[in-house]
Amino acid sequence: MKVVLLAGGFGTRISEESHLRPKPMIEIGEKPILWHIMKQYSHYGFNDFVICAGYKQHVIKEFFADYFLHTSDITFDLQTNSMEVHDNFAEPWKVTVVDTGLNTMTGGRVKRIRRYVGDEPFLLTYGDGVSDVDIGKLVEYHKQHGKYCTMTATNIGQRFGVLEIEENGRISGFREKSDSDGSMINAGFMVCEPQVFDYIEGDSTVFEKAPLENLAKDRQLVAYKHDGFWQCMDTQREKQKLEEMWASGHAPWKVWED
């Protein structure tokens, strides 16, 4: 099952760093947050990634092209114009970076990578949020209910729109959230059937609007409730929060072994 990562936006709310690189390439512990997300999926055996790039896409491509330069000790012999990589560790990843357009909306980006996913279920999440959600259990839950889309839902007192969730887990609608609201929000970490592509019109489609709303109306959208850790990185303050967790050695999203 392929993992589709949305990594093409401008990241305007964290412009202190995003004017230099796309938000998913902003670092936590000297590694892009995108790398942290991929390490989580890899921990559960999902190693085939499709990255929906856009803004400053070359930064993402260059990171993977020069992956050993970022992760290994290297000896450069300038006389012979040679390079020796020491103790290189290769991730078991296949990474496809797709230019999904500079101004394309989230739904349009998903639609543009359809040919790389094919007629198969796929995992989908945002390139700026980390969590300790159990991806294996999420996929099993998705297979059990047989709907088109499963969305991880979590409860935080922030600024996101909330989900109307019925007792059986089906999502019936969306509304605005206030800080005092105890309802759950879309945390990403989704599992989608290929039928989801049919709910997306084109480049201007915002995935969180018409596609998800219509999936909910058609009774094809289900919530996987996550009571553990989840944190997006929209602002410099949130980046610093994640950086401090990583530096402390107790980053909740680090489910993998070094």
Side-chain angles (χ1 to χ4, degrees):
M1 192 180 291
K2 290 182 172 62
V3 182
V4 177
L5 301 170
L6 289 163
F10 289 97
T12 52
R13 287 197 293 266
I14 192 168
S15 58
E16 299 94 333
E17 297 201 41
S18 63
H19 72 286
L20 298 172
R21 51 191 161 180
K23 185 164 64 165
M25 295 305 291
I26 295 174
E27 295 179 353
I28 301 169
E30 300 184 340
K31 291 289 196 303
I33 190 170
L34 186 68
W35 176 90
H36 289 260
I37 297 167
M38 294 169 71
K39 287 288 284 187
Q40 181 188 0
Y41 277 101
S42 186
H43 173 74
Y44 291 101
F46 300 100
N47 295 302
D48 195 344
F49 298 94
V50 179
I51 299 176
C52 302
Y55 173 67
K56 293 189 181 297
Q57 54 160 317
H58 67 279
V59 178
I60 299 174
K61 291 176 178 176
E62 288 169 3
F63 174 78
F64 290 106
D66 296 333
Y67 192 79
F68 289 136
L69 293 178
H70 296 280
T71 58
S72 307
D73 296 331
I74 298 176
T75 298
F76 297 97
D77 190 325
L78 303 187
Q79 287 187 319
T80 61
N81 192 28
S82 63
M83 180 180 77
E84 181 183 358
V85 179
H86 305 281
D87 302 321
N88 58 307
F89 174 76
E91 304 283 358
W93 298 347
K94 178 181 178 183
V95 183
T96 303
V97 183
V98 183
D99 178 7
T100 56
L102 185 61
N103 297 301
T104 310
M105 296 292 103
T106 49
R109 295 190 190 283
V110 173
K111 186 89 168 184
R112 284 201 185 197
I113 56 85
R114 183 171 190 170
R115 67 189 181 102
Y116 295 102
V117 171
D119 192 29
E120 298 178 0
F122 61 98
L123 295 154
L124 171 66
T125 199
Y126 305 101
D128 62 355
V130 289
S131 175
D132 61 355
V133 61
D134 188 317
I135 306 296
K137 289 182 179 179
L138 167 65
V139 171
E140 284 304 311
Y141 179 75
H142 175 79
K143 291 178 179 178
Q144 288 170 9
H145 67 64
K147 302 297 184 182
Y148 291 167
C149 183
T150 301
M151 170 194 297
T152 296
T154 193
N155 189 351
I156 60 169
Q158 289 198 28
R159 59 192 176 280
F160 301 90
V162 302
L163 313 174
E164 300 284 3
I165 303 176
E166 299 177 357
E167 288 187 7
N168 62 2
R170 191 179 69 82
I171 296 172
S172 59
F174 302 80
R175 61 183 174 81
E176 292 303 308
K177 179 180 176 64
S178 66
D179 285 348
S180 60
D181 201 319
S183 296
M184 307 192 92
I185 62 102
N186 169 15
F189 294 95
M190 294 172 260
V191 189
C192 303
E193 294 296 318
Q195 288 88 340
V196 167
F197 289 117
D198 298 330
Y199 284 79
I200 304 169
E201 288 192 12
D203 284 358
S204 62
T205 303
V206 178
F207 188 69
E208 298 75 17
K209 297 293 185 180
L212 289 183
E213 290 169 356
N214 289 328
L215 281 163
K217 288 177 184 176
D218 291 346
R219 307 177 70 85
Q220 292 293 335
L221 182 61
V222 175
Y224 177 78
K225 296 180 181 179
H226 175 60
D227 296 324
F229 176 83
W230 177 84
Q231 179 64 57
C232 68
M233 189 184 66
D234 266 346
T235 65
Q236 193 68 25
R237 181 180 178 183
E238 289 166 345
K239 177 199 182 304
Q240 189 60 35
K241 179 180 177 181
L242 292 170
E243 191 76 64
E244 290 170 358
M245 289 180 182
W246 185 262
S248 73
H250 300 287
W253 68 91
K254 186 181 180 298
V255 295
W256 62 91
E257 299 292 332
D258 289 325

